[in-house]
Amino acid sequence: MSSTTPLLDVAGLTKHFPITGGFPIRRTIGAVQAVDGVDFSVNEGESLGLVGESGCGKSTTGRLITRLLEPTAGKIHYRGQEITHASRRELAPVRSEIQMIFQDPYASLNPRQTVGKIISGPMEINDINPKGGREARVRELLETVGLNPEHYNRFPHEFSGGQRQRIGVARALALEPKLIVADEPVSALDVSIQAQVVNLLQKLQRELGIAFVFIAHDLAVVRHFSQRVAVMYLGRIVEIADRDELYSNPRHPYTRALLSAVPEVVPDGAPVRERIRLMGDVPSPVNPPSGCRFRTRCWKATEKCATETPPLVRADGSKETHLTACHYPEAAGEPGEEIVVQAVASGDDMAPPPVLIKDADGVVTKD
Ligand SMILES: Nc1ncnc2c1ncn2[C@@H]1O[C@H](COP(=O)(O)OP(=O)(O)OP(=O)(O)O)[C@@H](O)[C@H]1O
Ligand code: SF4
Ligand SMILES: [Mg+2]
């Protein structure tokens, strides 16, 4: 692999889940377009955040990368090798290098197995015998994730939620992975515990050079963890950029809406109120809007947005590595503080919702 080859490269990745129906003969009558032509890459040791509302295809993307799901179309390259449809045998050497951490630390650990057995499971399956033996390696891993190595013989129910997630992390580390897909690894945990687990993952990324695809609902969680962030909406990436660039210079209306919901702490400690409130639900991925999929909730939508799918490209004024899928990207520069948008459109209603402008004195006028 040359130094410029990304660790993981995904092009046109698509997953449509068929919907069957009919009687007496069942046939395919439609498809859930869960992931629809997604492109991104992850470099060695890098952390990419994947963010978007519920149902936008984040987990499906994670499961496609880890090959827990078979893609409908597109290509996945790992270290330059195509693994899109690789068989179990072909995948064997790669599989150990790509691991997944799941959202629910309760459901993802077998309650009848000891921690030692759970963490050494991947070594057994892959017939790996580390120097010093598996038990010694498990104790070492427990220490790495901040658990007491003496708890080797305990069962998952004897641990708290945060500790269970640490067990899941130790299991993922057992085969010395190069890439970990972490699917909302902290959203089931108490807020007070979330930071500890995020810090642990950050330490692993830094010290062990592991690359991460870190999936989260909102931009707050990935902010301190990801070098790059991709924003998904209804099966597609609408914006991708270096972290600081995305937070300081969002060009896609949806990214702006998501960012405005990230509570910022002002000096006196009170959170700034939300500025853009998206109304209406995400449309169904069975029958997504034509053209730009965000158009039914976008305050800038025009006829063109309904007829032409905006490609994910560099917008005028953006950096080379900053790509946006919008016909009318937001102005470059700091996200405006003064614009309050009440998006009311949902369904196919194309009428633009009112845009309210707030001046320095807080007086709101209609545009
Ligand atoms: N096995 C499946 N069969 C049919 N539809 C599915 C399947 N798995 C996921 N979907 C659908 O695909 C879409 C994307 O789901 P996915 O779980 O990837 O979203 P997500 O972004 O991870 O959401 P969340 O934030 O709620 O975890 C959803 O509409 C979901 O209902
Ligand atoms: S392409 Fe049109 S509908 Fe889509 S985000 Fe841009 S302005 Fe809004
Ligand atoms: Mg999910």
PDB file of all heavy atoms in Angstrom, residues 195-218:
ATOM      1  N   ALA A 195     -18.193  11.155  28.392  1.00  0.00           N
ATOM      2  CA  ALA A 195     -16.889  11.786  28.152  1.00  0.00           C
ATOM      3  C   ALA A 195     -15.755  10.811  28.464  1.00  0.00           C
ATOM      4  O   ALA A 195     -14.755  10.765  27.756  1.00  0.00           O
ATOM      5  CB  ALA A 195     -16.756  13.042  28.991  1.00  0.00           C
ATOM      6  N   GLN A 196     -15.937   9.994  29.511  1.00  0.00           N
ATOM      7  CA  GLN A 196     -14.875   9.048  29.873  1.00  0.00           C
ATOM      8  C   GLN A 196     -14.634   8.041  28.758  1.00  0.00           C
ATOM      9  O   GLN A 196     -13.492   7.714  28.433  1.00  0.00           O
ATOM     10  CB  GLN A 196     -15.266   8.283  31.139  1.00  0.00           C
ATOM     11  CG  GLN A 196     -15.352   9.148  32.377  1.00  0.00           C
ATOM     12  CD  GLN A 196     -15.887   8.356  33.563  1.00  0.00           C
ATOM     13  OE1 GLN A 196     -15.915   7.137  33.542  1.00  0.00           O
ATOM     14  NE2 GLN A 196     -16.324   9.064  34.587  1.00  0.00           N
ATOM     15  N   VAL A 197     -15.735   7.539  28.170  1.00  0.00           N
ATOM     16  CA  VAL A 197     -15.571   6.538  27.111  1.00  0.00           C
ATOM     17  C   VAL A 197     -15.003   7.196  25.848  1.00  0.00           C
ATOM     18  O   VAL A 197     -14.130   6.626  25.171  1.00  0.00           O
ATOM     19  CB  VAL A 197     -16.903   5.801  26.835  1.00  0.00           C
ATOM     20  CG1 VAL A 197     -16.773   4.855  25.646  1.00  0.00           C
ATOM     21  CG2 VAL A 197     -17.333   5.022  28.064  1.00  0.00           C
ATOM     22  N   VAL A 198     -15.466   8.418  25.534  1.00  0.00           N
ATOM     23  CA  VAL A 198     -14.918   9.129  24.375  1.00  0.00           C
ATOM     24  C   VAL A 198     -13.417   9.374  24.583  1.00  0.00           C
ATOM     25  O   VAL A 198     -12.615   9.173  23.671  1.00  0.00           O
ATOM     26  CB  VAL A 198     -15.664  10.459  24.114  1.00  0.00           C
ATOM     27  CG1 VAL A 198     -14.945  11.295  23.065  1.00  0.00           C
ATOM     28  CG2 VAL A 198     -17.094  10.183  23.661  1.00  0.00           C
ATOM     29  N   ASN A 199     -13.032   9.757  25.807  1.00  0.00           N
ATOM     30  CA  ASN A 199     -11.609   9.979  26.090  1.00  0.00           C
ATOM     31  C   ASN A 199     -10.802   8.706  25.908  1.00  0.00           C
ATOM     32  O   ASN A 199      -9.676   8.743  25.399  1.00  0.00           O
ATOM     33  CB  ASN A 199     -11.419  10.495  27.529  1.00  0.00           C
ATOM     34  CG  ASN A 199     -11.880  11.930  27.663  1.00  0.00           C
ATOM     35  OD1 ASN A 199     -12.065  12.617  26.660  1.00  0.00           O
ATOM     36  ND2 ASN A 199     -12.083  12.377  28.886  1.00  0.00           N
ATOM     37  N   LEU A 200     -11.387   7.584  26.324  1.00  0.00           N
ATOM     38  CA  LEU A 200     -10.690   6.308  26.160  1.00  0.00           C
ATOM     39  C   LEU A 200     -10.450   6.021  24.670  1.00  0.00           C
ATOM     40  O   LEU A 200      -9.340   5.671  24.262  1.00  0.00           O
ATOM     41  CB  LEU A 200     -11.511   5.165  26.789  1.00  0.00           C
ATOM     42  CG  LEU A 200     -11.053   3.751  26.427  1.00  0.00           C
ATOM     43  CD1 LEU A 200      -9.675   3.454  27.005  1.00  0.00           C
ATOM     44  CD2 LEU A 200     -12.064   2.708  26.917  1.00  0.00           C
ATOM     45  N   LEU A 201     -11.504   6.214  23.859  1.00  0.00           N
ATOM     46  CA  LEU A 201     -11.365   5.940  22.423  1.00  0.00           C
ATOM     47  C   LEU A 201     -10.325   6.877  21.802  1.00  0.00           C
ATOM     48  O   LEU A 201      -9.536   6.470  20.949  1.00  0.00           O
ATOM     49  CB  LEU A 201     -12.720   6.094  21.720  1.00  0.00           C
ATOM     50  CG  LEU A 201     -13.803   5.114  22.177  1.00  0.00           C
ATOM     51  CD1 LEU A 201     -15.114   5.397  21.465  1.00  0.00           C
ATOM     52  CD2 LEU A 201     -13.381   3.668  21.909  1.00  0.00           C
ATOM     53  N   GLN A 202     -10.345   8.123  22.252  1.00  0.00           N
ATOM     54  CA  GLN A 202      -9.393   9.106  21.745  1.00  0.00           C
ATOM     55  C   GLN A 202      -7.950   8.683  22.078  1.00  0.00           C
ATOM     56  O   GLN A 202      -7.057   8.795  21.257  1.00  0.00           O
ATOM     57  CB  GLN A 202      -9.700  10.441  22.413  1.00  0.00           C
ATOM     58  CG  GLN A 202      -9.332  11.632  21.567  1.00  0.00           C
ATOM     59  CD  GLN A 202     -10.136  12.851  21.996  1.00  0.00           C
ATOM     60  OE1 GLN A 202     -10.726  12.893  23.063  1.00  0.00           O
ATOM     61  NE2 GLN A 202     -10.157  13.852  21.148  1.00  0.00           N
ATOM     62  N   LYS A 203      -7.774   8.170  23.288  1.00  0.00           N
ATOM     63  CA  LYS A 203      -6.450   7.710  23.722  1.00  0.00           C
ATOM     64  C   LYS A 203      -5.992   6.535  22.836  1.00  0.00           C
ATOM     65  O   LYS A 203      -4.847   6.478  22.403  1.00  0.00           O
ATOM     66  CB  LYS A 203      -6.544   7.284  25.197  1.00  0.00           C
ATOM     67  CG  LYS A 203      -5.230   6.847  25.790  1.00  0.00           C
ATOM     68  CD  LYS A 203      -5.400   6.421  27.238  1.00  0.00           C
ATOM     69  CE  LYS A 203      -5.046   4.983  27.306  1.00  0.00           C
ATOM     70  NZ  LYS A 203      -5.196   4.206  28.415  1.00  0.00           N
ATOM     71  N   LEU A 204      -6.936   5.624  22.539  1.00  0.00           N
ATOM     72  CA  LEU A 204      -6.585   4.469  21.721  1.00  0.00           C
ATOM     73  C   LEU A 204      -6.202   4.899  20.313  1.00  0.00           C
ATOM     74  O   LEU A 204      -5.272   4.382  19.706  1.00  0.00           O
ATOM     75  CB  LEU A 204      -7.760   3.484  21.650  1.00  0.00           C
ATOM     76  CG  LEU A 204      -8.202   2.904  22.986  1.00  0.00           C
ATOM     77  CD1 LEU A 204      -9.453   2.071  22.804  1.00  0.00           C
ATOM     78  CD2 LEU A 204      -7.088   2.062  23.590  1.00  0.00           C
ATOM     79  N   GLN A 205      -6.970   5.884  19.806  1.00  0.00           N
ATOM     80  CA  GLN A 205      -6.676   6.367  18.458  1.00  0.00           C
ATOM     81  C   GLN A 205      -5.265   6.955  18.413  1.00  0.00           C
ATOM     82  O   GLN A 205      -4.491   6.664  17.512  1.00  0.00           O
ATOM     83  CB  GLN A 205      -7.711   7.428  18.072  1.00  0.00           C
ATOM     84  CG  GLN A 205      -7.658   7.771  16.595  1.00  0.00           C
ATOM     85  CD  GLN A 205      -7.918   9.242  16.336  1.00  0.00           C
ATOM     86  OE1 GLN A 205      -8.355   9.984  17.218  1.00  0.00           O
ATOM     87  NE2 GLN A 205      -7.662   9.654  15.132  1.00  0.00           N
ATOM     88  N   ARG A 206      -4.949   7.755  19.408  1.00  0.00           N
ATOM     89  CA  ARG A 206      -3.633   8.410  19.461  1.00  0.00           C
ATOM     90  C   ARG A 206      -2.512   7.413  19.712  1.00  0.00           C
ATOM     91  O   ARG A 206      -1.527   7.381  18.993  1.00  0.00           O
ATOM     92  CB  ARG A 206      -3.613   9.437  20.592  1.00  0.00           C
ATOM     93  CG  ARG A 206      -3.900  10.855  20.146  1.00  0.00           C
ATOM     94  CD  ARG A 206      -3.428  11.857  21.181  1.00  0.00           C
ATOM     95  NE  ARG A 206      -3.727  11.486  22.542  1.00  0.00           N
ATOM     96  CZ  ARG A 206      -4.812  11.902  23.222  1.00  0.00           C
ATOM     97  NH1 ARG A 206      -5.668  12.713  22.649  1.00  0.00           N
ATOM     98  NH2 ARG A 206      -5.030  11.519  24.456  1.00  0.00           N
ATOM     99  N   GLU A 207      -2.678   6.590  20.737  1.00  0.00           N
ATOM    100  CA  GLU A 207      -1.568   5.745  21.167  1.00  0.00           C
ATOM    101  C   GLU A 207      -1.391   4.483  20.327  1.00  0.00           C
ATOM    102  O   GLU A 207      -0.288   4.008  20.151  1.00  0.00           O
ATOM    103  CB  GLU A 207      -1.728   5.378  22.648  1.00  0.00           C
ATOM    104  CG  GLU A 207      -1.583   6.613  23.519  1.00  0.00           C
ATOM    105  CD  GLU A 207      -1.829   6.341  24.990  1.00  0.00           C
ATOM    106  OE1 GLU A 207      -1.996   5.165  25.371  1.00  0.00           O
ATOM    107  OE2 GLU A 207      -1.866   7.328  25.753  1.00  0.00           O
ATOM    108  N   LEU A 208      -2.486   3.940  19.829  1.00  0.00           N
ATOM    109  CA  LEU A 208      -2.370   2.714  19.036  1.00  0.00           C
ATOM    110  C   LEU A 208      -2.500   2.989  17.537  1.00  0.00           C
ATOM    111  O   LEU A 208      -2.397   2.080  16.722  1.00  0.00           O
ATOM    112  CB  LEU A 208      -3.427   1.681  19.467  1.00  0.00           C
ATOM    113  CG  LEU A 208      -3.426   1.313  20.958  1.00  0.00           C
ATOM    114  CD1 LEU A 208      -4.563   0.360  21.280  1.00  0.00           C
ATOM    115  CD2 LEU A 208      -2.094   0.672  21.355  1.00  0.00           C
ATOM    116  N   GLY A 209      -2.765   4.245  17.161  1.00  0.00           N
ATOM    117  CA  GLY A 209      -2.850   4.605  15.741  1.00  0.00           C
ATOM    118  C   GLY A 209      -4.022   3.953  15.024  1.00  0.00           C
ATOM    119  O   GLY A 209      -3.963   3.681  13.827  1.00  0.00           O
ATOM    120  N   ILE A 210      -5.110   3.693  15.769  1.00  0.00           N
ATOM    121  CA  ILE A 210      -6.279   3.049  15.155  1.00  0.00           C
ATOM    122  C   ILE A 210      -7.151   4.105  14.484  1.00  0.00           C
ATOM    123  O   ILE A 210      -7.399   5.167  15.052  1.00  0.00           O
ATOM    124  CB  ILE A 210      -7.106   2.304  16.231  1.00  0.00           C
ATOM    125  CG1 ILE A 210      -6.256   1.230  16.904  1.00  0.00           C
ATOM    126  CG2 ILE A 210      -8.371   1.692  15.627  1.00  0.00           C
ATOM    127  CD1 ILE A 210      -6.911   0.618  18.133  1.00  0.00           C
ATOM    128  N   ALA A 211      -7.602   3.813  13.258  1.00  0.00           N
ATOM    129  CA  ALA A 211      -8.523   4.719  12.565  1.00  0.00           C
ATOM    130  C   ALA A 211      -9.946   4.428  13.047  1.00  0.00           C
ATOM    131  O   ALA A 211     -10.274   3.283  13.385  1.00  0.00           O
ATOM    132  CB  ALA A 211      -8.435   4.520  11.062  1.00  0.00           C
ATOM    133  N   PHE A 212     -10.782   5.467  13.093  1.00  0.00           N
ATOM    134  CA  PHE A 212     -12.163   5.297  13.549  1.00  0.00           C
ATOM    135  C   PHE A 212     -13.159   5.866  12.544  1.00  0.00           C
ATOM    136  O   PHE A 212     -12.916   6.920  11.957  1.00  0.00           O
ATOM    137  CB  PHE A 212     -12.394   6.056  14.870  1.00  0.00           C
ATOM    138  CG  PHE A 212     -11.993   5.289  16.097  1.00  0.00           C
ATOM    139  CD1 PHE A 212     -10.684   5.289  16.523  1.00  0.00           C
ATOM    140  CD2 PHE A 212     -12.937   4.569  16.824  1.00  0.00           C
ATOM    141  CE1 PHE A 212     -10.303   4.587  17.659  1.00  0.00           C
ATOM    142  CE2 PHE A 212     -12.571   3.864  17.955  1.00  0.00           C
ATOM    143  CZ  PHE A 212     -11.250   3.870  18.375  1.00  0.00           C
ATOM    144  N   VAL A 213     -14.265   5.154  12.381  1.00  0.00           N
ATOM    145  CA  VAL A 213     -15.467   5.783  11.819  1.00  0.00           C
ATOM    146  C   VAL A 213     -16.399   5.891  13.012  1.00  0.00           C
ATOM    147  O   VAL A 213     -16.840   4.871  13.560  1.00  0.00           O
ATOM    148  CB  VAL A 213     -16.103   4.945  10.684  1.00  0.00           C
ATOM    149  CG1 VAL A 213     -17.435   5.548  10.267  1.00  0.00           C
ATOM    150  CG2 VAL A 213     -15.170   4.865   9.496  1.00  0.00           C
ATOM    151  N   PHE A 214     -16.640   7.109  13.457  1.00  0.00           N
ATOM    152  CA  PHE A 214     -17.381   7.335  14.700  1.00  0.00           C
ATOM    153  C   PHE A 214     -18.766   7.857  14.343  1.00  0.00           C
ATOM    154  O   PHE A 214     -18.910   8.970  13.838  1.00  0.00           O
ATOM    155  CB  PHE A 214     -16.609   8.350  15.549  1.00  0.00           C
ATOM    156  CG  PHE A 214     -17.100   8.469  16.962  1.00  0.00           C
ATOM    157  CD1 PHE A 214     -16.390   7.900  18.013  1.00  0.00           C
ATOM    158  CD2 PHE A 214     -18.270   9.150  17.256  1.00  0.00           C
ATOM    159  CE1 PHE A 214     -16.834   8.016  19.326  1.00  0.00           C
ATOM    160  CE2 PHE A 214     -18.726   9.264  18.560  1.00  0.00           C
ATOM    161  CZ  PHE A 214     -18.010   8.703  19.593  1.00  0.00           C
ATOM    162  N   ILE A 215     -19.774   7.028  14.592  1.00  0.00           N
ATOM    163  CA  ILE A 215     -21.144   7.379  14.206  1.00  0.00           C
ATOM    164  C   ILE A 215     -21.857   8.057  15.370  1.00  0.00           C
ATOM    165  O   ILE A 215     -21.780   7.586  16.504  1.00  0.00           O
ATOM    166  CB  ILE A 215     -21.899   6.096  13.784  1.00  0.00           C
ATOM    167  CG1 ILE A 215     -21.263   5.509  12.509  1.00  0.00           C
ATOM    168  CG2 ILE A 215     -23.386   6.377  13.581  1.00  0.00           C
ATOM    169  CD1 ILE A 215     -21.794   4.151  12.106  1.00  0.00           C
ATOM    170  N   ALA A 216     -22.538   9.171  15.087  1.00  0.00           N
ATOM    171  CA  ALA A 216     -23.264   9.876  16.151  1.00  0.00           C
ATOM    172  C   ALA A 216     -24.474  10.599  15.570  1.00  0.00           C
ATOM    173  O   ALA A 216     -24.535  10.891  14.382  1.00  0.00           O
ATOM    174  CB  ALA A 216     -22.349  10.875  16.842  1.00  0.00           C
ATOM    175  N   HIS A 217     -25.454  10.870  16.448  1.00  0.00           N
ATOM    176  CA  HIS A 217     -26.652  11.597  16.039  1.00  0.00           C
ATOM    177  C   HIS A 217     -26.390  13.065  15.789  1.00  0.00           C
ATOM    178  O   HIS A 217     -26.974  13.683  14.927  1.00  0.00           O
ATOM    179  CB  HIS A 217     -27.676  11.528  17.181  1.00  0.00           C
ATOM    180  CG  HIS A 217     -28.721  10.526  16.956  1.00  0.00           C
ATOM    181  ND1 HIS A 217     -28.606   9.235  17.392  1.00  0.00           N
ATOM    182  CD2 HIS A 217     -29.913  10.618  16.329  1.00  0.00           C
ATOM    183  CE1 HIS A 217     -29.680   8.580  17.044  1.00  0.00           C
ATOM    184  NE2 HIS A 217     -30.481   9.381  16.402  1.00  0.00           N
ATOM    185  N   ASP A 218     -25.563  13.648  16.670  1.00  0.00           N
ATOM    186  CA  ASP A 218     -25.391  15.095  16.575  1.00  0.00           C
ATOM    187  C   ASP A 218     -23.922  15.471  16.529  1.00  0.00           C
ATOM    188  O   ASP A 218     -23.040  14.667  16.794  1.00  0.00           O
ATOM    189  CB  ASP A 218     -26.105  15.797  17.733  1.00  0.00           C
ATOM    190  CG  ASP A 218     -25.493  15.419  19.057  1.00  0.00           C
ATOM    191  OD1 ASP A 218     -24.381  15.885  19.331  1.00  0.00           O
ATOM    192  OD2 ASP A 218     -26.114  14.644  19.804  1.00  0.00           O
TER     193      ASP A 218
END
